[in-house]
Amino acid sequence: MLYVNAPSIIVGKFQNTLAEINLDYVREKKIKVVRRMSGGGAVYHDFGNLNFSFHTLSEGNDFMDFSQFTAPVLKLLNDRNVPAKLEGRNDLLIEGKKFSGNAKLAKNGKMIQHGTILFNSDMSILDEVLKINPLKYIDKAIKSNRSRVTNLIDYLPSNSTTGNLKKILIDEIVHANPNSLLYELTSEDLKGVEYLIKNKYETWDWNFGSSPNYNFKNAKKVPAGFIEIHLNVEKGIIQEAKIFGDFFASESIENFERQLIGHKHNQNELQEILKQLDLTKYFGKVTSQEILEVLI
């Protein structure tokens, strides 16, 4: 399968989503965040990025060997004098710079290997969306390795397009597999896709709630004083909350902490909680937005 995604961040199955993304920037730019079924690190997709996905049987295939299904990409590039090669376990590089990351999944006797091809992605956005504050999240989840990256457009004719690349990759795969047939998704297939989107890949529970447990810590200086918040989060739900600072409160801060327990560590849900509270009793002269910015 060959496909192009609208601007989105795709996080690995075992990652803590919030610890991999620049949440403020993602919200501002309305970039989708989706967890995939396979492991590995977070990647950014946009219209300048071509993705490939090979589906096969597990039997007879080495799960740790990424060379078989990256070979067509390397051949078409090498044939055009682009010095691309597989380095390490699962990355395709040109002159030490990465243009393709690959991941795998094995389930029910089947295996999927998929990867990205940075063709003409917006590198400025890529840098921003994956720029996170490492002090906020403390966990044991797998962290993404940030690599030096490059676009293939820098090594191909300037009039090349993602569509051109898709076509020559299809031609390469068909040439290497003479008995292959091209298949287009049917209306029934698309209904199945829409069902999965609605019931899994668009849900907060899958994309954020499935994150490994983590401790969240954040602090902010506001006109009312310094506020520091510590949260213990399990499966996306706040289990413990502790707040410190030099603000003045007429109500017990422990009462405010209890208001957070049992709720999702999610901006929309926390925003609704804050709307229902008189925050001045706990922090002095503050706005709900100021407190929200410390909680997320």
Side-chain angles (χ1 to χ4, degrees):
M1 297 178 67
L2 297 173
Y3 53 100
V4 175
N5 283 330
S8 50
I9 300 174
I10 316 299
V11 299
K13 183 178 181 181
F14 309 111
Q15 293 191 295
N16 174 2
T17 303
L18 289 171
E20 292 295 327
I21 66 175
N22 180 344
L23 190 60
D24 293 335
Y25 187 86
V26 165
R27 287 199 179 112
E28 177 190 341
K29 300 297 183 181
K30 296 181 171 55
I31 297 170
K32 289 192 175 182
V33 179
V34 183
R35 183 186 301 280
R36 62 177 183 267
M37 288 289 292
S38 59
V43 292
Y44 173 66
H45 291 179
D46 63 13
F47 294 112
N49 179 75
L50 178 64
N51 303 283
F52 59 87
S53 179
F54 288 92
H55 301 235
T56 186
L57 298 176
S58 296
E59 188 175 354
N61 285 287
D62 181 356
F63 185 77
M64 298 309 294
D65 178 17
F66 285 83
S67 62
Q68 178 183 358
F69 296 123
T70 54
V73 179
L74 293 176
K75 186 173 187 308
L76 74 86
L77 291 173
N78 294 162
D79 287 349
R80 289 160 177 78
N81 298 316
V82 179
K85 54 185 176 180
L86 175 65
E87 291 195 14
R89 183 183 57 179
N90 60 332
D91 292 337
L92 301 185
L93 279 69
I94 300 173
E95 298 173 340
K97 291 177 285 188
K98 178 177 173 180
F99 70 90
S100 173
N102 289 260
K104 274 190 177 180
L105 164 69
K107 189 175 182 181
N108 299 329
K110 299 176 183 178
M111 186 177 77
I112 299 172
Q113 178 176 322
H114 58 93
T116 59
I117 302 176
L118 286 173
F119 178 75
N120 195 14
S121 282
D122 189 329
M123 292 298 183
S124 63
I125 293 180
L126 187 151
D127 288 339
E128 286 296 328
V129 295
L130 300 177
K131 186 188 294 181
I132 53 96
N133 181 347
L135 300 179
K136 279 189 178 183
Y137 300 91
I138 303 170
D139 60 18
K140 296 182 180 179
I142 297 168
K143 299 295 186 295
S144 299
N145 291 317
R146 303 293 179 230
S147 307
R148 285 199 307 151
V149 295
T150 190
N151 273 315
L152 283 182
I153 192 66
D154 297 333
Y155 300 89
L156 294 171
S158 59
N159 61 349
S160 301
T161 66
T162 310
N164 297 148
L165 181 63
K166 181 178 178 180
K167 184 181 183 305
I168 60 176
L169 183 52
I170 289 173
D171 291 343
E172 178 61 44
I173 294 168
V174 170
H175 178 74
N177 300 274
N179 297 321
S180 60
L181 298 171
L182 294 179
Y183 178 86
E184 291 193 15
L185 297 178
T186 66
S187 59
E188 285 301 307
D189 293 332
L190 294 174
K191 284 180 184 177
V193 170
E194 291 298 328
Y195 178 86
L196 279 173
I197 291 172
K198 182 178 179 181
N199 292 280
K200 182 173 185 177
Y201 293 108
E202 263 186 351
T203 67
W204 181 90
D205 286 343
W206 172 252
N207 293 318
F208 292 89
S210 293
S211 293
N213 301 342
Y214 59 90
N215 294 318
F216 173 88
K217 173 186 174 182
N218 197 18
K220 185 179 179 68
K221 182 76 168 68
V222 299
F226 180 77
I227 302 172
E228 181 178 321
I229 292 182
H230 295 248
L231 303 175
N232 179 22
V233 183
E234 297 180 8
K235 296 183 178 178
I237 305 298
I238 299 171
Q239 302 296 328
E240 296 179 81
K242 195 66 184 171
I243 299 172
F244 306 94
D246 60 2
F247 49 86
F248 296 98
S250 59
E251 289 266 348
S252 168
I253 197 63
E254 286 77 15
N255 290 340
F256 177 81
E257 293 168 352
R258 282 193 286 271
Q259 301 291 330
L260 303 176
I261 306 302
H263 291 282
K264 293 176 180 177
H265 191 206
N266 165 272
Q267 176 168 331
N268 293 336
E269 186 154 329
L270 293 176
Q271 201 165 34
E272 287 303 312
I273 294 170
L274 297 180
K275 283 181 183 178
Q276 299 169 27
L277 300 174
D278 182 355
L279 298 176
T280 60
K281 292 181 178 180
Y282 301 106
F283 300 100
K285 192 174 181 180
V286 296
T287 65
S288 58
Q289 183 60 35
E290 287 170 341
I291 300 302
L292 187 63
E293 288 174 1
V294 194
L295 287 168
I296 296 293

